[in-house]
Amino acid sequence: MALKVELKPRERIIIGQVVIRNDEQRTRFFIEGDAPILREKDIFTPATADSPAKKIYLAIQLMYLAQDPMYQHQVYFELVRDFVQAAPSSLPHIHEINNRILSSDLYKALKAAKKLIAYEAELIENATRV
């Protein structure tokens, strides 16, 4: 079954190792095959990964897009160790992400990392209220 994708004007998408940028009008296409796919709204860069949880997401994103995801494992585990030391209550989120990575479901690991980013924002909001 093909994946239907609609791109807004000038929106980008990564398919495998290729970045595709749309022209000036809305476009719809179908992707057949097995390749990592990320829409622009789900793509982090080193500049936009401006918090510890976002850096974890970026490491997982690089694993997801890489031909050899092992090359990011050390960076990922160092970031996770530091994050859990700072916020031990995040452990359930980290367990979910780790389980997704260990089962080679990196796309779902990215989705779980989005939850970690939201949790981090909640922790920061609660800390700044005090």
Side-chain angles (χ1 to χ4, degrees):
M1 181 174 189
L3 173 66
K4 179 175 95 172
V5 176
E6 290 193 33
L7 293 180
K8 300 173 194 166
R10 294 176 297 288
E11 185 178 7
R12 290 188 173 113
I13 187 170
I14 296 176
I15 302 174
Q17 301 293 313
V18 178
V19 177
I20 297 170
R21 184 174 47 89
N22 194 17
D23 200 359
E24 298 297 320
Q25 55 192 14
R26 193 170 204 77
T27 303
R28 180 183 324 154
F29 58 95
F30 297 87
I31 301 170
E32 297 176 359
D34 187 27
I37 300 167
L38 279 179
R39 294 183 73 97
E40 185 170 8
K41 67 181 177 133
D42 296 321
I43 298 170
F44 279 73
T45 66
T48 59
D50 57 2
S51 76
K54 289 178 183 177
K55 289 178 182 174
I56 290 170
Y57 181 97
L58 178 61
I60 298 166
Q61 174 186 296
L62 293 173
M63 282 186 236
Y64 176 63
L65 296 172
Q67 293 176 347
D68 179 14
M70 294 294 289
Y71 110 98
Q72 277 296 317
H73 280 193
Q74 182 177 351
V75 171
Y76 167 78
F77 285 114
E78 288 172 9
L79 291 167
V80 165
R81 183 194 64 229
D82 293 345
F83 195 91
V84 170
Q85 277 185 319
S89 62
S90 67
L91 210 47
H93 294 284
I94 298 299
H95 282 310
E96 180 183 357
I97 294 168
N98 285 342
N99 287 338
R100 300 295 186 184
I101 291 171
L102 291 172
S103 64
S104 297
D105 197 346
L106 294 170
Y107 185 76
K108 287 187 180 174
L110 284 171
K111 294 299 180 187
K114 286 268 186 161
K115 293 178 193 173
L116 181 67
I117 292 169
Y119 183 71
E120 176 188 52
E122 182 182 313
L123 289 176
I124 291 170
E125 182 182 325
N126 290 338
T128 57
R129 273 195 234 156
V130 175

